[in-house]
Amino acid sequence: QVQLVESGGGLVQAGGSLRLSCVASGRTFSSYAMGWFRQAPGKEREFVAVISGSGGNTDYADSVKGRFTISRDNAKNTVYLQMNSLKPEDTAVYYCVGGRTIATITGGYWGQGTQVTVSS
């Protein structure tokens, strides 16, 4: 069983930055692909970014490319999402997710979510 705990959300003005963190329990963190999804009010949950277990492969939603960066520190069992140039449309609950592979990540473990609110 893997538990994921997100932190770092909050209220920020448009154009600002936030860094989300997700700490995972367990001793096999480096074997898990990790990712971030988000869900805005009244909308479906959507993919944001993903990173392979080694950190060598990443992928991003088109809407965040060039603004968000996903990274991980396997020594700290932590994955990060650096969010720059935030826009009001980035407002959502952000969820950390971990799975055995990038392709099957949504069937893995989910955190409880952290709220990000971007004011205009």
Side-chain angles (χ1 to χ4, degrees), residues 18-39:
L18 282 175
R19 188 177 80 157
L20 305 183
S21 300
C22 172
V23 179
S25 64
R27 294 173 289 182
T28 59
F29 178 74
S30 62
S31 68
Y32 281 82
M34 300 296 297
W36 292 93
F37 284 69
R38 67 186 182 187
Q39 187 166 22

mmCIF file with all atom_site columns, all heavy atoms in Angstrom, residues 18-39:
data_model
loop_
_atom_site.group_PDB
_atom_site.id
_atom_site.type_symbol
_atom_site.label_atom_id
_atom_site.label_alt_id
_atom_site.label_comp_id
_atom_site.label_asym_id
_atom_site.label_entity_id
_atom_site.label_seq_id
_atom_site.pdbx_PDB_ins_code
_atom_site.Cartn_x
_atom_site.Cartn_y
_atom_site.Cartn_z
_atom_site.occupancy
_atom_site.B_iso_or_equiv
_atom_site.pdbx_formal_charge
_atom_site.auth_seq_id
_atom_site.auth_comp_id
_atom_site.auth_asym_id
_atom_site.auth_atom_id
_atom_site.pdbx_PDB_model_num
ATOM 1   N N   . LEU A 1 18 ? 3.681   28.660 -7.782  1.00 0.00 ? 18 LEU A N   1
ATOM 2   C CA  . LEU A 1 18 ? 3.511   27.778 -6.641  1.00 0.00 ? 18 LEU A CA  1
ATOM 3   C C   . LEU A 1 18 ? 4.283   26.494 -6.921  1.00 0.00 ? 18 LEU A C   1
ATOM 4   O O   . LEU A 1 18 ? 4.458   26.117 -8.086  1.00 0.00 ? 18 LEU A O   1
ATOM 5   C CB  . LEU A 1 18 ? 2.035   27.407 -6.414  1.00 0.00 ? 18 LEU A CB  1
ATOM 6   C CG  . LEU A 1 18 ? 1.113   28.413 -5.735  1.00 0.00 ? 18 LEU A CG  1
ATOM 7   C CD1 . LEU A 1 18 ? -0.319  27.885 -5.743  1.00 0.00 ? 18 LEU A CD1 1
ATOM 8   C CD2 . LEU A 1 18 ? 1.561   28.718 -4.321  1.00 0.00 ? 18 LEU A CD2 1
ATOM 9   N N   . ARG A 1 19 ? 4.722   25.841 -5.849  1.00 0.00 ? 19 ARG A N   1
ATOM 10  C CA  . ARG A 1 19 ? 5.325   24.524 -6.002  1.00 0.00 ? 19 ARG A CA  1
ATOM 11  C C   . ARG A 1 19 ? 4.563   23.527 -5.145  1.00 0.00 ? 19 ARG A C   1
ATOM 12  O O   . ARG A 1 19 ? 4.493   23.680 -3.925  1.00 0.00 ? 19 ARG A O   1
ATOM 13  C CB  . ARG A 1 19 ? 6.798   24.506 -5.614  1.00 0.00 ? 19 ARG A CB  1
ATOM 14  C CG  . ARG A 1 19 ? 7.467   23.174 -5.972  1.00 0.00 ? 19 ARG A CG  1
ATOM 15  C CD  . ARG A 1 19 ? 8.940   23.138 -5.678  1.00 0.00 ? 19 ARG A CD  1
ATOM 16  N NE  . ARG A 1 19 ? 9.238   22.901 -4.274  1.00 0.00 ? 19 ARG A NE  1
ATOM 17  C CZ  . ARG A 1 19 ? 10.378  22.408 -3.812  1.00 0.00 ? 19 ARG A CZ  1
ATOM 18  N NH1 . ARG A 1 19 ? 11.340  22.082 -4.667  1.00 0.00 ? 19 ARG A NH1 1
ATOM 19  N NH2 . ARG A 1 19 ? 10.570  22.236 -2.507  1.00 0.00 ? 19 ARG A NH2 1
ATOM 20  N N   . LEU A 1 20 ? 4.003   22.534 -5.795  1.00 0.00 ? 20 LEU A N   1
ATOM 21  C CA  . LEU A 1 20 ? 3.317   21.461 -5.093  1.00 0.00 ? 20 LEU A CA  1
ATOM 22  C C   . LEU A 1 20 ? 4.303   20.341 -4.788  1.00 0.00 ? 20 LEU A C   1
ATOM 23  O O   . LEU A 1 20 ? 5.209   20.070 -5.576  1.00 0.00 ? 20 LEU A O   1
ATOM 24  C CB  . LEU A 1 20 ? 2.168   20.913 -5.931  1.00 0.00 ? 20 LEU A CB  1
ATOM 25  C CG  . LEU A 1 20 ? 1.125   21.919 -6.417  1.00 0.00 ? 20 LEU A CG  1
ATOM 26  C CD1 . LEU A 1 20 ? 0.011   21.184 -7.164  1.00 0.00 ? 20 LEU A CD1 1
ATOM 27  C CD2 . LEU A 1 20 ? 0.572   22.738 -5.271  1.00 0.00 ? 20 LEU A CD2 1
ATOM 28  N N   . SER A 1 21 ? 4.090   19.706 -3.657  1.00 0.00 ? 21 SER A N   1
ATOM 29  C CA  . SER A 1 21 ? 4.891   18.547 -3.269  1.00 0.00 ? 21 SER A CA  1
ATOM 30  C C   . SER A 1 21 ? 3.972   17.377 -2.960  1.00 0.00 ? 21 SER A C   1
ATOM 31  O O   . SER A 1 21 ? 2.843   17.571 -2.513  1.00 0.00 ? 21 SER A O   1
ATOM 32  C CB  . SER A 1 21 ? 5.730   18.859 -2.030  1.00 0.00 ? 21 SER A CB  1
ATOM 33  O OG  . SER A 1 21 ? 6.615   19.923 -2.257  1.00 0.00 ? 21 SER A OG  1
ATOM 34  N N   . CYS A 1 22 ? 4.490   16.193 -3.186  1.00 0.00 ? 22 CYS A N   1
ATOM 35  C CA  . CYS A 1 22 ? 3.736   14.984 -2.866  1.00 0.00 ? 22 CYS A CA  1
ATOM 36  C C   . CYS A 1 22 ? 4.719   13.981 -2.281  1.00 0.00 ? 22 CYS A C   1
ATOM 37  O O   . CYS A 1 22 ? 5.657   13.561 -2.960  1.00 0.00 ? 22 CYS A O   1
ATOM 38  C CB  . CYS A 1 22 ? 3.078   14.423 -4.117  1.00 0.00 ? 22 CYS A CB  1
ATOM 39  S SG  . CYS A 1 22 ? 2.299   12.810 -3.901  1.00 0.00 ? 22 CYS A SG  1
ATOM 40  N N   . VAL A 1 23 ? 4.492   13.644 -1.020  1.00 0.00 ? 23 VAL A N   1
ATOM 41  C CA  . VAL A 1 23 ? 5.351   12.686 -0.338  1.00 0.00 ? 23 VAL A CA  1
ATOM 42  C C   . VAL A 1 23 ? 4.673   11.330 -0.327  1.00 0.00 ? 23 VAL A C   1
ATOM 43  O O   . VAL A 1 23 ? 3.486   11.217 0.023   1.00 0.00 ? 23 VAL A O   1
ATOM 44  C CB  . VAL A 1 23 ? 5.655   13.146 1.096   1.00 0.00 ? 23 VAL A CB  1
ATOM 45  C CG1 . VAL A 1 23 ? 6.544   12.118 1.799   1.00 0.00 ? 23 VAL A CG1 1
ATOM 46  C CG2 . VAL A 1 23 ? 6.327   14.506 1.088   1.00 0.00 ? 23 VAL A CG2 1
ATOM 47  N N   . ALA A 1 24 ? 5.422   10.308 -0.705  1.00 0.00 ? 24 ALA A N   1
ATOM 48  C CA  . ALA A 1 24 ? 4.885   8.949  -0.766  1.00 0.00 ? 24 ALA A CA  1
ATOM 49  C C   . ALA A 1 24 ? 5.453   8.087  0.345   1.00 0.00 ? 24 ALA A C   1
ATOM 50  O O   . ALA A 1 24 ? 6.637   8.201  0.693   1.00 0.00 ? 24 ALA A O   1
ATOM 51  C CB  . ALA A 1 24 ? 5.213   8.328  -2.116  1.00 0.00 ? 24 ALA A CB  1
ATOM 52  N N   . SER A 1 25 ? 4.605   7.247  0.892   1.00 0.00 ? 25 SER A N   1
ATOM 53  C CA  . SER A 1 25 ? 5.086   6.274  1.867   1.00 0.00 ? 25 SER A CA  1
ATOM 54  C C   . SER A 1 25 ? 5.633   5.064  1.122   1.00 0.00 ? 25 SER A C   1
ATOM 55  O O   . SER A 1 25 ? 5.419   4.909  -0.079  1.00 0.00 ? 25 SER A O   1
ATOM 56  C CB  . SER A 1 25 ? 3.936   5.837  2.775   1.00 0.00 ? 25 SER A CB  1
ATOM 57  O OG  . SER A 1 25 ? 2.947   5.170  2.009   1.00 0.00 ? 25 SER A OG  1
ATOM 58  N N   . GLY A 1 26 ? 6.338   4.210  1.821   1.00 0.00 ? 26 GLY A N   1
ATOM 59  C CA  . GLY A 1 26 ? 6.818   2.994  1.199   1.00 0.00 ? 26 GLY A CA  1
ATOM 60  C C   . GLY A 1 26 ? 8.255   3.083  0.751   1.00 0.00 ? 26 GLY A C   1
ATOM 61  O O   . GLY A 1 26 ? 8.829   4.176  0.640   1.00 0.00 ? 26 GLY A O   1
ATOM 62  N N   . ARG A 1 27 ? 8.835   1.921  0.474   1.00 0.00 ? 27 ARG A N   1
ATOM 63  C CA  . ARG A 1 27 ? 10.256  1.852  0.156   1.00 0.00 ? 27 ARG A CA  1
ATOM 64  C C   . ARG A 1 27 ? 10.526  1.589  -1.316  1.00 0.00 ? 27 ARG A C   1
ATOM 65  O O   . ARG A 1 27 ? 11.664  1.370  -1.701  1.00 0.00 ? 27 ARG A O   1
ATOM 66  C CB  . ARG A 1 27 ? 10.910  0.755  0.991   1.00 0.00 ? 27 ARG A CB  1
ATOM 67  C CG  . ARG A 1 27 ? 10.919  1.061  2.480   1.00 0.00 ? 27 ARG A CG  1
ATOM 68  C CD  . ARG A 1 27 ? 11.413  -0.118 3.279   1.00 0.00 ? 27 ARG A CD  1
ATOM 69  N NE  . ARG A 1 27 ? 10.447  -1.216 3.288   1.00 0.00 ? 27 ARG A NE  1
ATOM 70  C CZ  . ARG A 1 27 ? 10.627  -2.351 3.946   1.00 0.00 ? 27 ARG A CZ  1
ATOM 71  N NH1 . ARG A 1 27 ? 11.739  -2.559 4.604   1.00 0.00 ? 27 ARG A NH1 1
ATOM 72  N NH2 . ARG A 1 27 ? 9.697   -3.288 3.926   1.00 0.00 ? 27 ARG A NH2 1
ATOM 73  N N   . THR A 1 28 ? 9.494   1.617  -2.145  1.00 0.00 ? 28 THR A N   1
ATOM 74  C CA  . THR A 1 28 ? 9.688   1.331  -3.561  1.00 0.00 ? 28 THR A CA  1
ATOM 75  C C   . THR A 1 28 ? 9.306   2.524  -4.429  1.00 0.00 ? 28 THR A C   1
ATOM 76  O O   . THR A 1 28 ? 8.889   2.359  -5.567  1.00 0.00 ? 28 THR A O   1
ATOM 77  C CB  . THR A 1 28 ? 8.846   0.112  -3.964  1.00 0.00 ? 28 THR A CB  1
ATOM 78  O OG1 . THR A 1 28 ? 7.462   0.393  -3.694  1.00 0.00 ? 28 THR A OG1 1
ATOM 79  C CG2 . THR A 1 28 ? 9.279   -1.125 -3.204  1.00 0.00 ? 28 THR A CG2 1
ATOM 80  N N   . PHE A 1 29 ? 9.458   3.712  -3.901  1.00 0.00 ? 29 PHE A N   1
ATOM 81  C CA  . PHE A 1 29 ? 9.026   4.925  -4.597  1.00 0.00 ? 29 PHE A CA  1
ATOM 82  C C   . PHE A 1 29 ? 9.655   5.032  -5.969  1.00 0.00 ? 29 PHE A C   1
ATOM 83  O O   . PHE A 1 29 ? 8.997   5.400  -6.934  1.00 0.00 ? 29 PHE A O   1
ATOM 84  C CB  . PHE A 1 29 ? 9.376   6.151  -3.751  1.00 0.00 ? 29 PHE A CB  1
ATOM 85  C CG  . PHE A 1 29 ? 9.015   7.465  -4.390  1.00 0.00 ? 29 PHE A CG  1
ATOM 86  C CD1 . PHE A 1 29 ? 7.691   7.864  -4.462  1.00 0.00 ? 29 PHE A CD1 1
ATOM 87  C CD2 . PHE A 1 29 ? 9.991   8.302  -4.902  1.00 0.00 ? 29 PHE A CD2 1
ATOM 88  C CE1 . PHE A 1 29 ? 7.347   9.073  -5.040  1.00 0.00 ? 29 PHE A CE1 1
ATOM 89  C CE2 . PHE A 1 29 ? 9.662   9.512  -5.476  1.00 0.00 ? 29 PHE A CE2 1
ATOM 90  C CZ  . PHE A 1 29 ? 8.333   9.902  -5.549  1.00 0.00 ? 29 PHE A CZ  1
ATOM 91  N N   . SER A 1 30 ? 10.921  4.723  -6.073  1.00 0.00 ? 30 SER A N   1
ATOM 92  C CA  . SER A 1 30 ? 11.623  4.905  -7.345  1.00 0.00 ? 30 SER A CA  1
ATOM 93  C C   . SER A 1 30 ? 11.114  3.965  -8.443  1.00 0.00 ? 30 SER A C   1
ATOM 94  O O   . SER A 1 30 ? 11.421  4.170  -9.613  1.00 0.00 ? 30 SER A O   1
ATOM 95  C CB  . SER A 1 30 ? 13.123  4.702  -7.148  1.00 0.00 ? 30 SER A CB  1
ATOM 96  O OG  . SER A 1 30 ? 13.395  3.384  -6.707  1.00 0.00 ? 30 SER A OG  1
ATOM 97  N N   . SER A 1 31 ? 10.356  2.956  -8.078  1.00 0.00 ? 31 SER A N   1
ATOM 98  C CA  . SER A 1 31 ? 9.813   2.043  -9.077  1.00 0.00 ? 31 SER A CA  1
ATOM 99  C C   . SER A 1 31 ? 8.467   2.512  -9.617  1.00 0.00 ? 31 SER A C   1
ATOM 100 O O   . SER A 1 31 ? 7.926   1.910  -10.538 1.00 0.00 ? 31 SER A O   1
ATOM 101 C CB  . SER A 1 31 ? 9.660   0.641  -8.491  1.00 0.00 ? 31 SER A CB  1
ATOM 102 O OG  . SER A 1 31 ? 8.657   0.616  -7.497  1.00 0.00 ? 31 SER A OG  1
ATOM 103 N N   . TYR A 1 32 ? 7.942   3.584  -9.064  1.00 0.00 ? 32 TYR A N   1
ATOM 104 C CA  . TYR A 1 32 ? 6.638   4.083  -9.467  1.00 0.00 ? 32 TYR A CA  1
ATOM 105 C C   . TYR A 1 32 ? 6.760   5.294  -10.386 1.00 0.00 ? 32 TYR A C   1
ATOM 106 O O   . TYR A 1 32 ? 7.513   6.234  -10.105 1.00 0.00 ? 32 TYR A O   1
ATOM 107 C CB  . TYR A 1 32 ? 5.817   4.503  -8.249  1.00 0.00 ? 32 TYR A CB  1
ATOM 108 C CG  . TYR A 1 32 ? 5.183   3.353  -7.512  1.00 0.00 ? 32 TYR A CG  1
ATOM 109 C CD1 . TYR A 1 32 ? 5.923   2.607  -6.598  1.00 0.00 ? 32 TYR A CD1 1
ATOM 110 C CD2 . TYR A 1 32 ? 3.856   3.021  -7.732  1.00 0.00 ? 32 TYR A CD2 1
ATOM 111 C CE1 . TYR A 1 32 ? 5.353   1.554  -5.919  1.00 0.00 ? 32 TYR A CE1 1
ATOM 112 C CE2 . TYR A 1 32 ? 3.271   1.966  -7.054  1.00 0.00 ? 32 TYR A CE2 1
ATOM 113 C CZ  . TYR A 1 32 ? 4.014   1.236  -6.152  1.00 0.00 ? 32 TYR A CZ  1
ATOM 114 O OH  . TYR A 1 32 ? 3.444   0.194  -5.482  1.00 0.00 ? 32 TYR A OH  1
ATOM 115 N N   . ALA A 1 33 ? 5.981   5.280  -11.454 1.00 0.00 ? 33 ALA A N   1
ATOM 116 C CA  . ALA A 1 33 ? 5.751   6.506  -12.204 1.00 0.00 ? 33 ALA A CA  1
ATOM 117 C C   . ALA A 1 33 ? 4.848   7.394  -11.347 1.00 0.00 ? 33 ALA A C   1
ATOM 118 O O   . ALA A 1 33 ? 3.984   6.892  -10.624 1.00 0.00 ? 33 ALA A O   1
ATOM 119 C CB  . ALA A 1 33 ? 5.072   6.205  -13.534 1.00 0.00 ? 33 ALA A CB  1
ATOM 120 N N   . MET A 1 34 ? 5.060   8.686  -11.425 1.00 0.00 ? 34 MET A N   1
ATOM 121 C CA  . MET A 1 34 ? 4.274   9.625  -10.625 1.00 0.00 ? 34 MET A CA  1
ATOM 122 C C   . MET A 1 34 ? 3.695   10.703 -11.530 1.00 0.00 ? 34 MET A C   1
ATOM 123 O O   . MET A 1 34 ? 4.290   11.055 -12.557 1.00 0.00 ? 34 MET A O   1
ATOM 124 C CB  . MET A 1 34 ? 5.141   10.274 -9.547  1.00 0.00 ? 34 MET A CB  1
ATOM 125 C CG  . MET A 1 34 ? 5.764   9.307  -8.550  1.00 0.00 ? 34 MET A CG  1
ATOM 126 S SD  . MET A 1 34 ? 4.537   8.438  -7.553  1.00 0.00 ? 34 MET A SD  1
ATOM 127 C CE  . MET A 1 34 ? 3.787   9.800  -6.662  1.00 0.00 ? 34 MET A CE  1
ATOM 128 N N   . GLY A 1 35 ? 2.571   11.221 -11.126 1.00 0.00 ? 35 GLY A N   1
ATOM 129 C CA  . GLY A 1 35 ? 1.960   12.245 -11.963 1.00 0.00 ? 35 GLY A CA  1
ATOM 130 C C   . GLY A 1 35 ? 1.076   13.185 -11.169 1.00 0.00 ? 35 GLY A C   1
ATOM 131 O O   . GLY A 1 35 ? 0.861   13.008 -9.961  1.00 0.00 ? 35 GLY A O   1
ATOM 132 N N   . TRP A 1 36 ? 0.603   14.178 -11.876 1.00 0.00 ? 36 TRP A N   1
ATOM 133 C CA  . TRP A 1 36 ? -0.339  15.158 -11.320 1.00 0.00 ? 36 TRP A CA  1
ATOM 134 C C   . TRP A 1 36 ? -1.547  15.260 -12.251 1.00 0.00 ? 36 TRP A C   1
ATOM 135 O O   . TRP A 1 36 ? -1.390  15.341 -13.476 1.00 0.00 ? 36 TRP A O   1
ATOM 136 C CB  . TRP A 1 36 ? 0.321   16.525 -11.175 1.00 0.00 ? 36 TRP A CB  1
ATOM 137 C CG  . TRP A 1 36 ? 1.388   16.579 -10.135 1.00 0.00 ? 36 TRP A CG  1
ATOM 138 C CD1 . TRP A 1 36 ? 2.732   16.378 -10.320 1.00 0.00 ? 36 TRP A CD1 1
ATOM 139 C CD2 . TRP A 1 36 ? 1.212   16.853 -8.738  1.00 0.00 ? 36 TRP A CD2 1
ATOM 140 N NE1 . TRP A 1 36 ? 3.399   16.493 -9.130  1.00 0.00 ? 36 TRP A NE1 1
ATOM 141 C CE2 . TRP A 1 36 ? 2.493   16.799 -8.140  1.00 0.00 ? 36 TRP A CE2 1
ATOM 142 C CE3 . TRP A 1 36 ? 0.111   17.149 -7.928  1.00 0.00 ? 36 TRP A CE3 1
ATOM 143 C CZ2 . TRP A 1 36 ? 2.689   17.034 -6.776  1.00 0.00 ? 36 TRP A CZ2 1
ATOM 144 C CZ3 . TRP A 1 36 ? 0.302   17.368 -6.581  1.00 0.00 ? 36 TRP A CZ3 1
ATOM 145 C CH2 . TRP A 1 36 ? 1.593   17.315 -6.009  1.00 0.00 ? 36 TRP A CH2 1
ATOM 146 N N   . PHE A 1 37 ? -2.707  15.269 -11.640 1.00 0.00 ? 37 PHE A N   1
ATOM 147 C CA  . PHE A 1 37 ? -3.957  15.524 -12.329 1.00 0.00 ? 37 PHE A CA  1
ATOM 148 C C   . PHE A 1 37 ? -4.637  16.679 -11.608 1.00 0.00 ? 37 PHE A C   1
ATOM 149 O O   . PHE A 1 37 ? -4.273  17.030 -10.497 1.00 0.00 ? 37 PHE A O   1
ATOM 150 C CB  . PHE A 1 37 ? -4.858  14.277 -12.302 1.00 0.00 ? 37 PHE A CB  1
ATOM 151 C CG  . PHE A 1 37 ? -4.437  13.204 -13.265 1.00 0.00 ? 37 PHE A CG  1
ATOM 152 C CD1 . PHE A 1 37 ? -3.267  12.480 -13.066 1.00 0.00 ? 37 PHE A CD1 1
ATOM 153 C CD2 . PHE A 1 37 ? -5.203  12.910 -14.379 1.00 0.00 ? 37 PHE A CD2 1
ATOM 154 C CE1 . PHE A 1 37 ? -2.870  11.488 -13.958 1.00 0.00 ? 37 PHE A CE1 1
ATOM 155 C CE2 . PHE A 1 37 ? -4.827  11.920 -15.277 1.00 0.00 ? 37 PHE A CE2 1
ATOM 156 C CZ  . PHE A 1 37 ? -3.655  11.212 -15.063 1.00 0.00 ? 37 PHE A CZ  1
ATOM 157 N N   . ARG A 1 38 ? -5.627  17.258 -12.243 1.00 0.00 ? 38 ARG A N   1
ATOM 158 C CA  . ARG A 1 38 ? -6.369  18.337 -11.591 1.00 0.00 ? 38 ARG A CA  1
ATOM 159 C C   . ARG A 1 38 ? -7.837  18.270 -11.972 1.00 0.00 ? 38 ARG A C   1
ATOM 160 O O   . ARG A 1 38 ? -8.189  17.718 -13.013 1.00 0.00 ? 38 ARG A O   1
ATOM 161 C CB  . ARG A 1 38 ? -5.789  19.711 -11.954 1.00 0.00 ? 38 ARG A CB  1
ATOM 162 C CG  . ARG A 1 38 ? -5.948  20.110 -13.418 1.00 0.00 ? 38 ARG A CG  1
ATOM 163 C CD  . ARG A 1 38 ? -5.209  21.404 -13.685 1.00 0.00 ? 38 ARG A CD  1
ATOM 164 N NE  . ARG A 1 38 ? -5.381  21.854 -15.068 1.00 0.00 ? 38 ARG A NE  1
ATOM 165 C CZ  . ARG A 1 38 ? -4.739  22.889 -15.609 1.00 0.00 ? 38 ARG A CZ  1
ATOM 166 N NH1 . ARG A 1 38 ? -3.888  23.597 -14.864 1.00 0.00 ? 38 ARG A NH1 1
ATOM 167 N NH2 . ARG A 1 38 ? -4.960  23.224 -16.862 1.00 0.00 ? 38 ARG A NH2 1
ATOM 168 N N   . GLN A 1 39 ? -8.656  18.844 -11.107 1.00 0.00 ? 39 GLN A N   1
ATOM 169 C CA  . GLN A 1 39 ? -10.090 18.891 -11.364 1.00 0.00 ? 39 GLN A CA  1
ATOM 170 C C   . GLN A 1 39 ? -10.627 20.247 -10.939 1.00 0.00 ? 39 GLN A C   1
ATOM 171 O O   . GLN A 1 39 ? -10.542 20.606 -9.756  1.00 0.00 ? 39 GLN A O   1
ATOM 172 C CB  . GLN A 1 39 ? -10.824 17.776 -10.636 1.00 0.00 ? 39 GLN A CB  1
ATOM 173 C CG  . GLN A 1 39 ? -12.302 17.682 -11.000 1.00 0.00 ? 39 GLN A CG  1
ATOM 174 C CD  . GLN A 1 39 ? -12.933 16.396 -10.534 1.00 0.00 ? 39 GLN A CD  1
ATOM 175 O OE1 . GLN A 1 39 ? -12.449 15.736 -9.617  1.00 0.00 ? 39 GLN A OE1 1
ATOM 176 N NE2 . GLN A 1 39 ? -14.040 16.012 -11.171 1.00 0.00 ? 39 GLN A NE2 1
#
